[in-house]
């Protein structure tokens, strides 16, 4: 049997290879420090797990969910956006419950584009955006995210043709992999660009809770007119360490939300009702777990940046997300440097070119191990004196 052409064309999972290499090294008994992945290391807070345990014991929870999610969850999402961002969301028409943000990101091109249409994607960017591109048979143009522009796309550099062709644009702030954050002005510019050129915007707010130095990341929907042009995808994966639970949502423009809901009516029923109730507890219960989690990431970030600087590595601290985006030393490609670190230092990192052409020259380091391991990882790297010439 042959796979359909569409499936054959799906992008190769760039980081599957890294996972394989790391597993092989661990199987050889090597003490690998894995800074390569994006899986939160801390457990889901106990009050959320308890809500789930109680809900699973209730036979009502064993039935099909309503197709578009439990009303309690839709209400909780509305309460969350009002409380956190002072944004009004209509639970009936402006919420789509998702099996994690990834589902919405992959579904949207299928839901609102036609084959051959053009999308705008950030480069470097989250690789799974390309899965939606291939499944919907659309094309894409990239928007480079450069250090000199704080990892925000420079809309002045988009050609008139590209602006006219583009029907859908993805943004992601706080950003994976660069750790950049968006400003109010940038979002205002985005709304203007979208209105002038009739572009739908999806802002991927997966790391919405994780901002450093006392600065909370802002929501795209706080921008005047944002709801006229787009949606924001949120996930409980990072904010509440619920990556395995698969629960997220999209909020914003009712027509776009309806398109997502419609495609999902045909693909799924909805999430396990007990997970939806646990999500209600996460979004509306005690939020001190979120502050504690962000402090953990911020401390790890500070430890990493301090250790790198002491090793002579000229690095910039990320402003948000749980990643650091570090330049590779002269004379190496991203892949060569990542391979070398794994081979010689037993430190796994993600090569920047896996996130796009403009990821070349960087590696991505996850702040997902404790500070002791971060210090040990930099110590191992320092031994090779890579950074002498850059000091
Ligand atoms: C930028 C970005 N968007 C979306 C996701 C997917 O999140 P979820 O677990 O909700 O599918 C991730 C996960 O790593 C991510 O990094």
């Amino acid at each position: 049997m042959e796979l359909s052409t569409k499936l054959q064309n799906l992008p190769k999972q760039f980081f599957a290879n890294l996972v394989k290499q790391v597993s092989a090294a661990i199987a050889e008994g090597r003490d690998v420090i894995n800074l390569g992945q994006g899986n939160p290391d801390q457990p889901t807070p106990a009050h959320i797990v308890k809500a789930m345990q109680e809900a699973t014991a209730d036979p009502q929870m064993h039935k099909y969910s309503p197709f578009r999610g439990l009303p309690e969850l839709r209400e909780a999402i509305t309460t969350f956006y009002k409380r956190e961002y002072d944004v009004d969301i209509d639970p009936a028409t402006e919420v789509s419950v998702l099996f994690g943000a990834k589902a919405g990101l992959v579904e949207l091109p299928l839901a609102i584009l036609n084959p051959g249409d053009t999308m705008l994607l950030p480069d470097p960017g989250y690789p799974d955006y390309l899965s939606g591109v291939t499944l919907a048979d659309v094309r894409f143009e990239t928007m480079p995210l450069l250090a000199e522009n704080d990892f925000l796309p420079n809309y002045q550099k988009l050609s008139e043709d590209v602006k006219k062709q583009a029907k859908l644009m993805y943004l992601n702030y706080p950003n994976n992999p660069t750790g950049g954050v968006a400003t109010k002005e940038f979002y205002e510019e985005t709304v203007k660009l979208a209105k002038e050129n009739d572009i739908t915007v999806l802002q991927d707010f997966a790391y919405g809770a994780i901002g450093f130095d006392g600065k909370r990341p802002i929501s795209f929907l706080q921008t005047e007119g944002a709801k006229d042009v787009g949606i924001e995808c949120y996930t409980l994966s990072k904010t509440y360490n619920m990556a395995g639970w698969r629960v997220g949502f999209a909020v914003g423009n009712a027509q776009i939300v309806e398109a997502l809901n419609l495609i999902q009516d045909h693909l799924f029923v909805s999430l396990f009702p007990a997970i939806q109730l646990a999500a209600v507890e996460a979004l509306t219960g005690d939020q001190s777990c979120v502050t504690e989690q962000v402090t953990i990431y911020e401390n790890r970030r500070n430890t990493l940046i301090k250790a790198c600087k002491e090793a002579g590595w000229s690095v910039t601290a990320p402003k948000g997300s749980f990643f650091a985006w570090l330049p590779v030393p002269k004379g190496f490609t991203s892949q060569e440097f990542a391979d070398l670190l794994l081979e010689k230092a037993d430190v796994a990192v993600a090569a920047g070119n896996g996130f796009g052409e403009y990821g070349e020259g960087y590696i991505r380091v996850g702040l997902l191990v404790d500070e002791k391991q971060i210090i040990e990882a930099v110590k191992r790297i320092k031994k090779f004196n890579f950074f002498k010439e850059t000091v």
Side-chain angles (χ1 to χ4, degrees):
M1 190 206 73
E2 264 204 5
L3 292 180
S4 67
T5 313
K6 192 165 276 184
L7 290 204
Q8 289 185 43
N9 288 342
L10 279 171
K12 298 282 164 283
Q13 289 282 0
F14 185 86
F15 292 105
N17 200 28
L18 176 66
V19 172
K20 234 197 258 166
Q21 282 176 306
V22 171
S23 310
I26 292 171
E28 282 170 23
R30 285 160 52 191
D31 171 27
V32 176
I33 301 177
N34 192 350
L35 308 176
Q37 282 176 306
N39 212 343
D41 61 313
Q42 298 293 303
T44 305
H47 66 286
I48 302 171
V49 175
K50 184 160 170 274
M52 176 72 175
Q53 285 166 333
E54 285 169 10
T56 48
D58 176 359
Q60 284 305 319
M61 296 289 112
H62 305 166
K63 301 184 173 181
Y64 288 120
S65 156
F67 269 64
R68 295 180 175 198
L70 293 177
E72 297 93 314
L73 178 55
R74 306 169 70 82
E75 281 292 339
I77 291 165
T78 297
T79 304
F80 174 83
Y81 253 73
K82 184 72 187 164
R83 186 191 71 220
E84 298 292 323
Y85 305 110
D86 198 23
V87 170
D88 291 306
I89 299 289
D90 176 0
T93 61
E94 295 178 340
V95 176
S96 178
V97 175
L98 304 171
F99 283 86
K102 174 171 171 170
L105 304 167
V106 175
E107 288 159 10
L108 191 62
L110 277 172
I112 66 166
L113 298 183
N114 287 308
D117 283 349
T118 301
M119 283 183 74
L120 287 173
L121 294 179
D123 179 351
Y126 179 53
D128 291 15
Y129 299 147
L130 297 173
S131 311
V133 165
T134 306
L135 289 174
D137 277 333
V138 296
R139 334 173 25 253
F140 69 97
E141 299 280 343
T142 56
M143 303 182 289
L145 307 186
L146 306 177
E148 69 215 37
N149 203 35
D150 289 330
F151 301 112
L152 297 169
N154 182 349
Y155 296 142
Q156 318 307 325
K157 296 254 163 94
L158 292 177
S159 74
E160 286 307 313
D161 274 358
V162 165
K163 281 195 269 191
K164 289 286 165 252
Q165 278 166 16
K167 298 218 163 125
L168 175 61
M169 171 165 80
Y170 278 12
L171 296 174
N172 165 222
Y173 293 100
N175 184 255
N176 174 12
T178 67
V181 296
T183 59
K184 184 169 173 288
E185 295 69 31
F186 170 72
Y187 280 152
E188 284 166 358
E189 234 192 291
T190 302
V191 170
K192 187 161 172 281
L193 176 91
K195 287 197 170 178
E196 284 173 0
N197 298 282
D198 208 6
I199 301 172
T200 295
V201 178
L202 181 151
Q203 147 55 16
D204 176 358
F205 209 22
Y207 300 92
I210 312 172
F212 302 134
D213 307 313
K215 294 199 181 107
R216 288 196 69 221
I218 54 173
S219 158
F220 175 59
L221 298 181
Q222 288 171 300
T223 318
E224 204 182 319
K227 233 198 241 179
D228 298 337
V229 298
I231 58 168
E232 193 154 67
C233 280
Y234 199 91
T235 174
L236 281 70
S237 295
K238 327 282 174 177
T239 308
Y240 303 102
N241 295 328
M242 293 172 73
W245 299 54
R246 312 310 303 136
V247 51
F249 54 88
V251 281
N253 183 279
Q255 272 184 306
I256 308 170
V257 161
E258 173 58 27
L260 280 179
N261 281 335
L262 182 61
I263 193 169
Q264 296 201 138
D265 288 347
H266 292 268
L267 287 171
F268 320 112
V269 177
S270 188
L271 285 67
F272 179 26
I275 289 186
Q276 296 189 53
L277 284 194
V280 170
E281 174 60 25
L283 295 169
T284 59
D286 183 4
Q287 299 297 303
S288 51
C289 55
V290 181
T291 321
E292 285 159 19
Q293 188 57 52
V294 175
T295 304
I296 292 176
Y297 291 138
E298 184 154 359
N299 289 340
R300 290 176 180 176
R301 177 202 69 156
N302 294 345
T303 298
L304 173 75
I305 298 301
K306 183 165 173 274
C308 288
K309 286 188 170 162
E310 281 169 6
W313 198 345
S314 174
V315 297
T316 310
K319 295 179 178 162
S321 85
F322 50 50
F323 298 111
W325 190 233
L326 308 180
V328 304
K330 282 197 197 90
F332 294 93
T333 65
S334 296
Q335 191 63 59
E336 284 164 357
F337 190 56
D339 287 345
L340 192 80
L341 293 188
L342 183 58
E343 270 324 299
K344 300 269 191 263
D346 285 337
V347 174
V349 299
N353 57 311
F355 300 94
E357 184 188 337
Y358 289 88
E360 182 53 54
Y362 289 91
I363 53 164
R364 191 194 70 178
V365 163
L367 303 168
L368 302 165
V369 299
D370 63 32
E371 288 175 59
K372 243 175 74 190
Q373 282 185 291
I374 289 174
I375 291 169
E376 170 61 22
V378 179
K379 201 168 118 195
R380 290 185 194 176
I381 298 171
K382 188 182 171 187
K383 270 204 273 183
F384 294 93
N385 282 329
F386 293 123
F387 307 106
K388 267 198 173 150
E389 75 273 29
T390 58
V391 192

